[in-house]
């Protein structure tokens, strides 16, 4: 089984800490200004003073330079749903909101200062990115929806991110997402100050980017004839697999790619395109079987996992990828191109006379090392296009120059080794940042949508520190930052992406922005709670969290009864419960005071959150005996 599907045991040792973590201390934490304002990610420095500035419905935004005007225009668009009509002005005096770039004002290009006082609102930064993040913070100081009056608290904020790379990946191959949703995903990242969108564009199950020189990639490789039904890992053998008999596919034209790139650039988000090689490439072989080590035919894959049919590392394959990367490099202005490099079984290479010849010619004795040789050629080619190579941590195995960056996914080991060797590193370990993993302590719970399994609760993401303590301070400088990965084997719709992404993206946001020493899960949770209304205003299909408090502390109560004090993370939500084994819903008992549950017989307490938007959480459950 491929690593990502084998669900290492460490998945299941993760306790349901969300129910226990950090309850004490919330009250004191809630007193600090930053807590009260509910800002995510938590800024460096927040100073409030008594009073509020009243922001009118018609606003002028001062902006003079092109960067200021870009941010002002975005802010104008973001203020419209709040009932504010904003115009741009070059008169400072007339403006309620002033965007000011001043060299040297931010400690980093992404840093900013935000001041709200009697004379209005001013955001100051060294450049556009800082202004944009200041604007995002300002939006979080405003009500989530249109309101008759808007009082903005007097505040002075000085802020900058902990990490240069604050990423989120989206796999558009296993399931395809239209341009409109890609833009929405970018908006999600921007709202929580992430700056890197890793676009996983090619895989066994579909090739998603138009390449002019290879039209069959979008005629053939972009489509599969059907898709596996159900969770693959729950079937014992391929004979048990069933397919939906429905053709599936899609791709982005180069014009659409340019549109998305421009959209992201305006929002200070760098796109890292991923073109997988040499593994995860059977969709290429479906269109161009001559790139395989053995004759086809091949088809775009209809199931999940790791496929042994990979491209052969021969000259036609180099020509193919060099042509593809030439077009990709021209489309994406960012410094990095991701070449995948993960999960490339050498079964076909071992059997291939052509690969034997390459090994003889190049003096390579281990077929595994052929991938390193392959990567190094690709790295040189990318460098000739002005691009840096980044790949999954397998690229370390065959040897790669330190100019290549490494994305550590099989835990932190690869990242640590790479940083020690002098590579730049992005940390995205499955254990903490694979947000396709489940959010329910029970894997494959019937109360969750179909998913890959695993358990990655909020606190486990939140408490992740991308700087491994195994590294010296000097080596830690190679850690570019964290990235959350959203693989989509089972994530079939935008709504389901949102369900997996929220509220976990808010935790990811602080992993990337807030220095570890300033992070506290206990303090994060009440700030996060203030965001559900914002997510509702944007019609985001977040996962409604289960009620808290149904845990062993209630069982410790002295006497005949267990006592459970429940609370919901969603302000204004109801908690409904049952003691009869049924699933709670709108018609079952409303929780109003601590629950006393008799212990003279065995029963299961189940409680759900019903959010103000009417949506219901999965149940929290506890067996009482
Ligand atoms: C990966 O999850 N295969 C990088």
């Amino acid at each position: 089984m491929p690593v990502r599907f084998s669900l290492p045991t460490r998945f299941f040792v993760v306790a349901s800490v969300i129910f226990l973590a950090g309850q004490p201390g919330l009250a004191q934490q809630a007193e600090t200004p930053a807590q009260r304002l509910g800002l995510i990610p938590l800024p460096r420095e927040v100073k409030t003073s008594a009073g509020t500035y009243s922001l009118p419905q018609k606003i002028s935004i001062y902006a003079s330079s092109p960067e200021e005007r870009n941010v002002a225009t975005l802010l104008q668009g973001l203020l419209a749903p709040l009932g504010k009509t904003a115009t741009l002005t070059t008169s400072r005096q007339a403006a309620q909101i002033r965007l000011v770039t001043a060299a040297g004002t931010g400690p980093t290009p992404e840093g900013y200062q935000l001041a709200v006082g009697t004379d209005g609102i001013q955001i100051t930064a060294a450049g556009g990115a800082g202004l944009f993040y200041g604007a995002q913070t300002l939006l979080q100081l405003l009500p989530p929806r249109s309101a008759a009056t808007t009082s903005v608290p007097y505040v002075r904020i000085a802020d900058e991110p902990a990490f240069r790379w604050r990423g989120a990946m989206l796999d558009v191959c296993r399931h395809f997402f239209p341009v409109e949703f890609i833009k929405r995903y970018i908006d999600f990242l921007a709202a929580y100050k992430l700056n890197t969108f890793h676009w996983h564009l090619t895989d066994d199950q579909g090739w998603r980017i138009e390449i002019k020189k290879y039209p069959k990639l979008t005629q053939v490789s972009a489509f599969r004839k059907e898709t596996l039904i159900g969770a693959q890992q729950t079937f014992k053998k391929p004979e048990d697999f069933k397919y939906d008999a429905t053709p599936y596919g899609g791709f982005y034209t180069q014009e659409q790619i340019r549109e998305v790139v421009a959209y992201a650039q305006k929002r200070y988000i760098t796109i890292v395109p991923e073109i997988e090689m040499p593994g995860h490439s059977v969709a290429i072989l479906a269109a161009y079987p001559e790139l395989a080590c053995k004759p086809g035919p091949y088809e775009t894959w209809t199931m999940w996992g790791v496929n042994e049919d990979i491209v052969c590392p021969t000259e036609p394959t180099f020509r193919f990828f060099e042509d593809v990367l030439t077009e990709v490099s021209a489309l994406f202005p960012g410094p990095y191109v991701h070449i995948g490099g993960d999960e490339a079984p050498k079964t076909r290479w071992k059997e291939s006379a052509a690969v034997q010849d390459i090994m003889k010619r190049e003096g390579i004795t281990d077929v595994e090392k052929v991938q390193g040789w392959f990567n190094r050629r690709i790295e040189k080619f990318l460098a000739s296009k002005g691009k840096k190579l980044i790949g999954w941590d397998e690229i370390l195995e065959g040897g790669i120059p330190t100019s290549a960056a490494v994305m550590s996914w099989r835990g932190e080991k690869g990242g640590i080794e790479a940083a020690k060797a002098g590579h730049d590193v992005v940390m995205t370990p499955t254990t903490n940042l694979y947000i396709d993993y489940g959010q329910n302590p029970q894997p494959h719970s019937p109360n969750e949508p179909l998913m890959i399994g695993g358990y990655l609760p909020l606190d486990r993401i939140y408490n992740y520190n991308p700087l491994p303590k195994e590294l010296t301070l000097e080596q830690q400088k190679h850690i570019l930052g964290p990235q959350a990965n959203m693989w989509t084997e089972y994530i079939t719709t935008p709504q389901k992406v949102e369900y997996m992404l929220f509220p976990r993206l808010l935790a990811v946001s602080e992993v990337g922005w807030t220095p570890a020493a300033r992070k506290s899960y206990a303090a994060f949770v009440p700030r996060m709670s203030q965001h559900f209304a914002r997510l509702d205003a944007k019609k985001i299909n977040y996962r409604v969290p289960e009620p808290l408090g149904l845990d062993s502390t209630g069982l410790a109560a002295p006497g005949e009864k267990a006592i459970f004090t429940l609370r919901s993370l969603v302000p204004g939500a109801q908690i409904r419960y049952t003691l009869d084994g049924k699933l709670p819903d709108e018609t079952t008992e409303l929780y109003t005071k601590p629950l006393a549950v008799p212990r003279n017989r065995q029963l299961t307490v189940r409680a759900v959150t019903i959010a103000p938007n009417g949506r219901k959480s999965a149940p929290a459950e506890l067996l009482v005996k």
Side-chain angles (χ1 to χ4, degrees):
M1 284 296 275
V3 180
R4 203 155 61 74
F5 296 85
S6 63
L7 301 182
T9 45
R10 61 176 175 269
F11 279 52
F12 299 109
V13 298
V14 183
S16 54
V17 204
I18 183 172
F19 300 112
L20 306 171
Q23 301 300 320
L26 285 189
Q28 296 109 292
Q29 305 267 14
E31 296 306 312
T32 72
Q35 279 300 115
R36 212 171 38 242
L37 296 175
L39 299 172
I40 291 183
L42 183 70
R44 261 334 139 92
E45 231 183 84
V46 179
K47 291 196 187 109
T48 49
S49 50
T52 58
Y53 175 73
S54 180
L55 192 65
Q57 301 298 78
K58 286 198 180 358
I59 305 171
S60 297
I61 306 176
Y62 167 77
S64 63
S65 74
E67 290 291 306
E68 290 161 8
R69 279 203 303 276
N70 176 50
V71 176
T73 307
L74 293 170
L75 190 54
Q76 192 177 33
L78 293 163
L79 286 167
L82 306 181
K84 307 283 182 204
T85 316
T87 47
L88 273 55
T89 173
T90 49
S91 154
R92 254 180 202 251
Q93 261 61 41
Q96 289 81 22
I97 301 175
R98 297 179 301 278
L99 303 180
V100 181
T101 37
T105 45
T108 70
E110 296 183 304
Y112 67 91
Q113 291 158 21
L114 169 65
V116 183
T118 48
D119 61 344
I121 298 164
Q122 178 155 323
I123 301 169
T124 313
L131 291 179
F132 184 61
Y133 294 134
Q136 292 294 353
T137 299
L138 171 62
L139 288 165
Q140 292 188 15
L141 295 175
L142 306 182
R145 291 175 193 273
S146 181
T149 58
T150 306
S151 307
V152 193
Y154 288 163
V155 69
R156 299 185 80 82
I157 295 174
D159 201 8
E160 64 169 326
F163 292 100
R164 286 171 280 169
W165 184 303
R166 303 179 303 281
M169 183 277 272
L170 182 65
D171 165 12
V172 296
C173 304
R174 277 54 179 267
H175 285 96
F176 178 72
F177 300 93
V179 166
E180 278 320 300
F181 183 69
I182 300 300
K183 290 182 178 171
R184 186 164 156 89
Y185 195 82
I186 286 169
D187 287 342
F188 295 157
L189 306 196
Y192 290 100
K193 300 188 175 72
L194 277 73
N195 66 358
T196 305
F197 171 48
H198 172 170
W199 206 355
H200 183 79
L201 284 164
T202 75
D203 215 308
D204 295 310
Q205 296 81 4
W207 179 283
R208 305 281 175 236
I209 173 172
E210 178 190 23
I211 299 296
K212 303 275 190 200
K213 200 156 183 180
Y214 295 90
K216 282 194 282 182
L217 287 172
T218 40
Q219 291 157 3
V220 177
S221 311
F223 297 91
R224 58 179 180 254
K225 69 169 193 272
E226 57 190 357
T227 303
L228 181 90
I229 298 171
Q232 183 165 316
Q233 66 272 38
T234 60
F235 303 118
K236 295 227 164 38
K237 45 189 192 310
E239 299 81 82
D240 298 335
F241 293 6
K242 289 193 175 59
Y243 296 86
D244 65 2
T246 307
Y248 185 92
F251 63 90
Y252 308 103
T253 64
Q254 293 202 353
E255 198 179 323
Q256 288 174 317
I257 298 268
R258 278 191 213 95
E259 181 186 328
V260 171
V261 166
Y263 189 88
Q265 250 179 338
K266 273 195 176 30
R267 289 155 184 81
Y268 303 94
I269 286 189
T270 303
I271 301 186
V272 178
E274 182 180 354
I275 306 295
E276 274 265 21
M277 65 189 84
H280 290 286
S281 56
V282 79
I284 300 170
L285 302 182
Y288 300 100
E290 61 274 23
L291 301 182
C293 289
K294 70 177 209 191
Y298 297 91
E299 52 178 42
T300 308
W301 220 14
T302 55
M303 52 177 273
W304 319 121
V306 174
N307 197 318
E308 292 185 335
D309 288 320
I310 72 172
V311 292
C312 212
T314 47
E315 292 310 309
T317 296
F318 279 109
R319 257 197 314 281
F320 169 81
F321 281 117
E322 289 176 4
D323 289 340
V324 167
L325 292 175
T326 299
E327 294 191 32
V328 167
S329 299
L331 283 168
F332 293 93
Y336 285 102
V337 174
H338 200 304
I339 64 144
D342 59 321
E343 301 178 321
K346 306 302 180 309
T347 323
R348 302 290 174 256
W349 291 12
K350 277 182 201 147
E351 298 158 352
S352 156
V355 177
Q356 300 305 319
D357 288 348
I358 292 167
M359 290 174 69
K360 257 189 233 118
R361 192 186 72 214
E362 301 295 328
I364 304 170
T365 50
D366 175 2
V367 71
E368 288 297 333
K369 302 276 189 225
V370 176
Q371 189 175 350
W373 165 80
F374 178 91
N375 290 343
R376 289 191 295 277
R377 270 188 65 174
I378 295 291
E379 203 263 350
K380 274 208 192 79
F381 181 78
L382 280 173
S384 79
K385 298 283 158 197
K387 299 292 182 189
K388 291 198 260 193
L389 180 152
I390 185 165
W392 301 111
D393 56 56
E394 284 94 332
I395 65 168
L396 281 172
E397 289 163 10
I400 188 93
T402 52
S403 49
V406 172
M407 207 169 250
S408 190
W409 72 280
R410 296 175 301 178
E412 293 187 305
K413 197 170 140 281
I416 292 169
E417 190 191 324
K420 283 183 174 168
H423 295 271
D424 282 347
V425 170
V426 175
M427 282 297 193
T428 180
T430 55
T431 45
N432 300 80
L433 289 169
Y434 266 42
I435 51 173
D436 57 327
Y437 289 174
Q439 302 175 81
N440 195 306
Q442 192 188 334
H444 304 296
S445 161
N447 303 310
E448 297 288 339
L450 179 71
M451 65 182 68
I452 196 159
Y455 179 45
L456 185 50
L458 265 175
D459 65 308
R460 195 161 170 76
I461 298 174
Y462 187 85
N463 289 322
Y464 182 62
N465 181 353
L467 296 177
K469 49 187 181 317
E470 290 85 344
L471 298 179
T472 63
L473 286 179
E474 211 41 47
Q475 291 164 344
Q476 285 184 352
K477 289 185 186 151
H478 283 297
I479 306 292
L480 297 175
Q483 177 174 295
N485 289 342
M486 181 80 78
W487 299 101
T488 59
E489 288 91 338
Y490 302 102
I491 303 179
T492 46
T493 62
Q495 289 70 28
K496 206 160 162 182
V497 172
E498 294 180 9
Y499 183 89
M500 301 307 278
L501 192 62
F502 287 102
R504 292 189 291 189
L505 181 68
L506 281 65
V508 174
S509 163
E510 295 209 355
V511 174
W513 187 275
T514 310
R518 305 202 61 240
K519 275 165 60 197
S520 151
Y521 184 66
F524 166 74
V525 169
R527 274 184 292 114
M528 178 191 76
S529 287
Q530 297 183 51
H531 283 248
F532 289 112
R534 299 187 184 280
L535 304 183
D536 277 330
K538 294 178 184 168
K539 297 192 165 53
I540 292 174
N541 184 42
Y542 58 86
R543 179 179 187 273
V544 177
E546 302 89 336
L548 302 184
L550 203 52
D551 57 44
S552 55
T553 48
L555 295 174
E560 302 290 293
K561 292 184 170 174
I563 310 279
F564 299 103
T565 303
L566 306 184
R567 73 188 178 91
S568 167
L569 291 175
V570 185
Q574 292 183 339
I575 296 176
R576 300 261 176 186
Y577 66 94
T578 60
L579 303 177
D580 62 1
K582 299 222 169 74
L583 208 56
D585 64 21
E586 295 75 2
T587 67
T588 60
E589 285 299 322
L590 179 67
Y591 174 88
T592 53
K593 58 177 195 303
L595 260 187
V597 181
R599 271 200 268 222
N600 53 3
R601 66 199 156 91
Q602 182 164 309
L603 57 78
T604 299
V605 185
R606 288 199 168 85
V608 298
T609 303
I610 300 178
N613 63 18
R615 287 178 45 233
K616 197 167 65 192
S617 74
E621 304 182 336
L622 191 75
L623 180 69
V624 178
K625 44 185 174 180

